Amino acid sequence: MNIVIFGPPAAGKGTQCKLLASSFNLLSVSTGDMLRAEAAKDSEIGRQFEAASRKGQLISDDIVIDMIRQIINDEQKKAGILYDGFPRSLKQAKALDAMLSGLGQKIDMVIELVVEDGELEKRMSGRAISEGRSDDTPEIFQSRLQAYRNYAAEILPYYKAQGLHVAIDGSRKPDVVAADISKAIKALANNHSQNGPGMLPSGPA
Ligand code: AMP
């Protein structure tokens, strides 16, 4: 099962992926975490990431697509992947579909965590203190929110058209949100076992 956890910065994507990965035996993959690890190594990719993230901008599609390709090829025997922070462009979404279809797999569901901007800003300032992320400043955060709006506007319609999109209220406590996502995943798993793989979930379009 391959699931994209989608949402604006500070919506709780990372928290949800960690909570859900162990319960469903899925691998949680965060392109943001991989890029921060590159930055810690001071690699060429890490330097490109730092230049982009200082402005709240995205890094080039080809870099993150390559990172995901390596993970998918290594981890294809797992039950599936929870994608956190990927895809962030239509090019990435289509590349992901192509890579998965080469393995006889597909994206099964796209969970959008819906949280209002004011709440996101509050969470971001809390996280700036607890995690010390250099892109969690009020100015950079606004650029990241704007970048999110831009890529959400092209990616969400793509997944909605395939009937894969499920919106979840992400403003609640993490365990309450996780319980809702778990329900959606279980419904999808039941649908799979009744109809065989390849069927789309019957969730809201
Ligand atoms: P995140 O931790 O997911 O919020 O990602 C932090 C930063 O990493 C983003 O603001 C981007 O600069 C970069 N990044 C992470 N994932 C991607 C992606 N899929 N495409 C482009 N840039 C990304």
Side-chain angles (χ1 to χ4, degrees):
M1 202 154 33
N2 294 294
I3 298 171
V4 174
I5 305 292
F6 196 83
K13 299 186 294 295
T15 304
Q16 290 305 320
C17 284
K18 280 179 196 100
L19 288 172
L20 296 161
S22 58
S23 7
F24 291 96
N25 187 30
L26 298 169
L27 177 77
S28 169
V29 172
S30 155
T31 41
D33 283 351
M34 287 193 275
L35 289 165
R36 280 184 285 277
E38 290 294 327
K41 286 191 282 185
D42 199 26
S43 66
E44 176 52 34
I45 289 177
R47 282 192 288 273
Q48 289 186 39
F49 159 72
E50 294 223 302
S53 77
R54 259 199 298 276
K55 298 185 214 140
Q57 292 172 354
L58 299 183
I59 195 166
S60 87
D61 287 327
D62 293 339
I63 290 177
V64 279
I65 290 169
D66 272 353
M67 287 177 139
I68 292 291
R69 181 178 293 115
Q70 285 171 24
I71 299 265
I72 291 179
N73 289 339
D74 280 359
E75 297 292 335
Q76 52 181 293
K77 293 197 188 74
K78 289 249 178 183
I81 292 182
L82 283 168
Y83 292 89
D84 163 8
F86 183 93
R88 270 172 152 118
S89 70
L90 203 52
K91 181 175 174 184
Q92 293 177 23
K94 290 184 173 173
L96 180 59
D97 284 348
M99 292 186 277
L100 289 173
S101 99
L103 299 168
Q105 295 185 25
K106 63 182 185 62
I107 291 297
D108 297 288
M109 186 159 57
V110 176
I111 307 265
E112 178 193 1
L113 295 176
V114 181
V115 183
E116 281 184 3
D117 288 3
E119 173 65 17
L120 295 172
E121 281 155 23
K122 250 198 282 171
R123 290 183 185 183
M124 177 276 301
S125 28
R127 191 167 74 171
I129 297 163
S130 65
E131 292 178 24
R133 266 178 63 162
S134 60
D135 56 351
D136 276 342
T137 69
E139 298 73 28
I140 300 177
F141 194 75
Q142 288 310 318
S143 307
R144 291 166 62 205
L145 265 182
Q146 190 52 51
Y148 171 74
R149 288 189 197 104
N150 294 343
Y151 65 76
E154 61 174 31
I155 291 183
L156 289 178
Y158 174 73
Y159 287 128
K160 283 180 185 176
Q162 300 175 62
L164 297 177
H165 170 258
V166 177
I168 301 255
D169 174 4
S171 65
R172 298 162 300 164
K173 290 208 174 96
D175 55 336
V176 179
V177 177
D180 258 13
I181 300 179
S182 297
K183 261 190 239 159
I185 297 178
K186 281 179 191 151
L188 177 74
N190 285 339
N191 185 307
H192 266 242
S193 58
Q194 281 165 23
N195 301 308
M199 291 299 292
L200 295 175
S202 52

